[in-house]
Amino acid sequence: MNDNELLMGAKSGDRRNLSKLLSRIESGKFTFQKDSNVWALGVTGPPGVGKSTLIGKLIEQWTNAGEKVAVLAVDPSSPVSGGAILGDRLRMSNSDIGESVFVRSLATRNYPGGIIPKISDMINLFSYCGWSRIIIETVGSGQSEIGIIAFADRILLVDGPDRGDIIQAEKAGIMEMADIIVVNKSDLPRAKVTADLIIESLSLDSRDLVPVLLTSALENKGINDLVSCLDSLIPDKSRKNLRIRQILLSHWNSLAISNPRFEKIILDASDGIMSISESISSLMELLHEEAKS
Amino acid sequence: MRIVVAKVGLDGHDRGAKVISRALRNAGHEVIYTGIRKTPHEIVRIIIDEDAEALGISTLSGAHDTLIPKICEILRNEDLNDLIVFAGGIIPERDREAIYNCGVRAIFGPGTNTNSIFDFLNESIKRKESGDFVGVGENLGWHWIDE
Ligand SMILES: Nc1nc2c(ncn2[C@@H]2O[C@H](COP(=O)(O)OP(=O)(O)OP(=O)(O)O)[C@@H](O)[C@H]2O)c(=O)[nH]1
Ligand SMILES: [Mg+2]
């Protein structure tokens, strides 16, 4: 089947055609920029705070309300082998039944040109094919992950009850991008304290309007509030600039990482064949070449 | 390759599946691990949504003789004939013929060297590229023999 046939099939609800097209986008053989009325939510936060479990609960609520929910679960590739274990399905109970859920895992792998430009094509494709709630999950650890989240015009930041990790992560720019902040695992002690710490830190930046909610994905508490908060959220136009900045930065980042000669530069620098400033120059040259090609 | 690793059976022991997933990852594959207690239909659904090229089924609890044929049947019904299917875990010698007859192309016992799995996958890709049968719904007659 050619791309057009696949697209027609996907639009009329054929999952396999949609799945094939996603693969074609991923491998750079198909692009899709048609921008329909996209509803996309980025979910990020430190490892293990319960993002996937929480998304499982959102899926439940939204599918019950008649929405079609697509999840793009982005996991890092191993920098050494390029391989990845994509395991987010583990926690999203119910995600593999019912016609109105589609979960696709994606590795931030070492494609030439990086994964960044492909994410928005995938989101647009989902939307074009009738998926009314599109969720992108990443572990908010690095620049490229933040950039991926920034494709969504609604951003949910999830933290756990322990340390208020996200306040520490402020410098990475995640916190200022969040439209809603959730402290999950509210069934555990210290969740409330963490929420208060976050609220205090937001007020220092005069961002008191960002809602901070407590949820327990495990005990199904606070989910209704979160859903209504998300449903009534109006994307913040003034943060567009911030989001585009993150997208561009992380694209820049992934261009470097996905370039096969990047590793060579690292090796040469660590073997002392090149000085650090020489290696910076050759990195710049490399990116310049890639931009021209 | 994009490979779905599925654990079938009701027991919650998925160490084997995790070891295999890790080894495949380290060899540069993208592994989608399904987690425990998925039904055959859910597993097939994951394969479709993830557009996987191969499925590794891990089994311990003696569920292989019903669940593996069931999965293979659904795969064929869904027209996923070219999917490469292999199995690992505890599958007694006397049951193996029946499993191969479902279109499973390799069975790896406990303690298999993971290199055999890589060799099998490489061989399968080669066969696929040269048009030889290797998928779950394609002609039988070839399966991997592990030394
Ligand atoms: N006590 C408690 N545990 C939870 C809650 N939500 C999730 N968990 C547990 O936290 C662990 C991690 O959950 P995940 O949903 O995989 O977390 P995640 O943030 O998606 O993890 P990564 O994707 O690996 O970063 C699991 O053992 C969950 O069962 C909660 O509300 N309360
Ligand atoms: Mg997760």
Side-chain angles (χ1 to χ4, degrees):
Chain A
M1 278 175 118
N2 67 30
D3 291 345
N4 252 330
E5 292 165 332
L6 287 172
L7 188 59
M8 274 164 56
K11 189 162 171 54
S12 66
D14 186 302
R15 305 181 81 91
R16 282 190 68 193
N17 291 350
L18 174 57
S19 180
K20 287 275 177 248
L21 277 181
L22 290 169
S23 301
R24 291 184 62 75
I25 291 176
E26 199 183 348
S27 58
K29 291 177 189 134
F30 179 66
T31 57
F32 190 80
Q33 269 108 27
K34 202 174 285 181
D35 204 348
S36 50
N37 214 346
V38 179
W39 194 105
L41 171 72
V43 179
T44 192
V49 294
K51 299 178 292 296
S52 303
T53 316
L54 198 59
I55 291 171
K57 296 294 169 195
L58 295 177
I59 291 176
E60 235 171 82
Q61 297 258 338
W62 276 328
T63 53
N64 284 341
E67 306 287 350
K68 289 183 73 184
V69 189
V71 182
L72 215 47
V74 187
D75 274 308
S77 306
S78 151
V80 180
S81 70
I85 296 181
L86 307 164
D88 268 302
R89 300 194 164 265
L90 293 185
R91 305 287 174 206
M92 293 180 220
S93 52
N94 303 327
S95 59
D96 301 313
I97 37 181
E99 281 308 301
S100 38
V101 189
F102 193 114
V103 180
R104 178 67 173 236
S105 339
L106 196 63
T108 52
R109 71 172 143 195
N110 322 311
Y111 275 128
I115 195 74
I116 301 291
K118 290 157 187 167
I119 301 275
S120 81
D121 288 19
M122 291 186 180
I123 296 173
N124 287 341
L125 178 65
F126 273 126
S127 180
Y128 179 78
C129 295
W131 297 85
S132 55
R133 291 282 182 276
I134 301 161
I135 303 175
I136 309 145
E137 179 190 345
T138 70
V139 178
S141 50
Q143 178 61 59
S144 36
E145 284 72 29
I146 300 171
I148 287 166
I149 280 305
F151 278 107
D153 48 14
R154 297 163 178 81
I155 292 175
L156 169 65
L157 179 54
V158 186
D159 201 2
D162 304 325
R163 291 158 302 192
D165 277 353
I166 56 168
I167 302 176
Q168 314 296 325
E170 205 170 1
K171 288 204 188 67
I174 313 178
M175 196 138 146
E176 47 179 339
M177 291 203 335
D179 296 291
I180 299 178
I181 297 176
V182 156
V183 178
N184 188 42
K185 308 199 185 183
S186 65
D187 50 291
L188 299 179
R190 287 199 52 83
K192 179 79 178 64
V193 180
T194 303
D196 289 342
L197 281 175
I198 293 171
I199 291 170
E200 189 190 312
S201 145
L202 287 169
S203 73
L204 292 178
D205 296 333
S206 312
R207 295 194 61 224
D208 320 49
L209 294 176
V210 180
V212 179
L213 306 178
L214 283 160
T215 60
S216 168
L218 202 66
E219 297 181 349
N220 219 349
K221 293 209 176 99
I223 310 293
N224 285 333
D225 285 347
L226 174 59
V227 169
S228 38
C229 204
L230 286 168
D231 282 340
S232 59
L233 183 70
I234 297 160
D236 185 339
K237 290 267 182 295
S238 66
R239 278 211 281 281
K240 191 156 188 183
N241 168 319
L242 210 59
R243 298 206 332 267
I244 291 175
R245 178 194 187 85
Q246 294 295 345
I247 290 171
L248 292 179
L249 277 175
S250 62
H251 182 54
W252 185 247
N253 225 31
S254 77
L255 274 182
I257 294 169
S258 65
N259 193 301
R261 276 156 57 202
F262 185 52
E263 290 300 319
K264 174 86 172 79
I265 295 178
I266 296 174
L267 277 181
D268 286 353
S270 75
D271 289 346
I273 299 173
M274 266 197 280
S275 71
I276 290 293
S277 54
E278 280 166 343
S279 42
I280 292 173
S281 310
S282 35
L283 176 63
M284 296 310 291
E285 239 167 69
L286 210 115
L287 293 176
H288 196 68
E289 272 170 38
E290 183 159 312
K292 274 194 293 188
S293 67
Chain B
M1 237 183 182
R2 273 173 88 81
I3 305 171
V4 167
V5 172
K7 163 82 180 69
V8 302
L10 289 175
D11 63 301
H13 301 288
D14 62 348
R15 204 187 124 73
K18 284 180 174 161
V19 169
I20 297 280
S21 299
R22 187 75 54 91
L24 290 167
R25 192 265 318 259
N26 292 343
H29 296 288
E30 278 178 18
V31 180
I32 295 110
Y33 175 49
T34 62
I36 56 175
R37 302 200 182 92
K38 296 282 176 183
T39 66
H41 276 108
E42 286 167 355
I43 290 168
V44 174
R45 168 66 173 281
I46 293 174
I47 292 166
I48 293 175
D49 289 2
E50 298 284 4
D51 195 22
E53 293 161 84
L55 166 68
I57 305 172
S58 162
T59 171
L60 274 185
S61 57
H64 59 271
D65 53 342
T66 53
L67 289 178
I68 295 181
K70 181 78 194 159
I71 293 171
C72 294
E73 186 195 321
I74 304 172
L75 288 171
R76 283 191 297 268
N77 289 343
E78 289 283 344
D79 222 17
L80 290 162
N81 294 312
D82 61 352
L83 189 86
I84 297 162
V85 181
F86 58 99
I90 301 169
I91 301 178
E93 200 62 51
R94 61 171 189 281
D95 293 340
R96 294 193 173 193
E97 201 55 40
I99 303 270
Y100 288 131
N101 286 334
C102 298
V104 172
R105 301 294 177 159
I107 298 174
F108 300 100
T112 302
N113 185 332
T114 44
N115 283 327
S116 318
I117 304 180
F118 307 151
D119 292 344
F120 159 73
L121 288 173
N122 288 337
E123 176 72 21
S124 300
I125 293 168
K126 254 189 247 154
R127 287 182 64 86
K128 196 170 184 169
E129 278 166 359
S130 56
D132 291 329
F133 304 123
V134 69
V136 64
E138 296 169 351
N139 287 8
L140 298 176
W142 177 83
H143 65 75
W144 178 256
I145 295 165
D146 200 25
E147 282 97 44

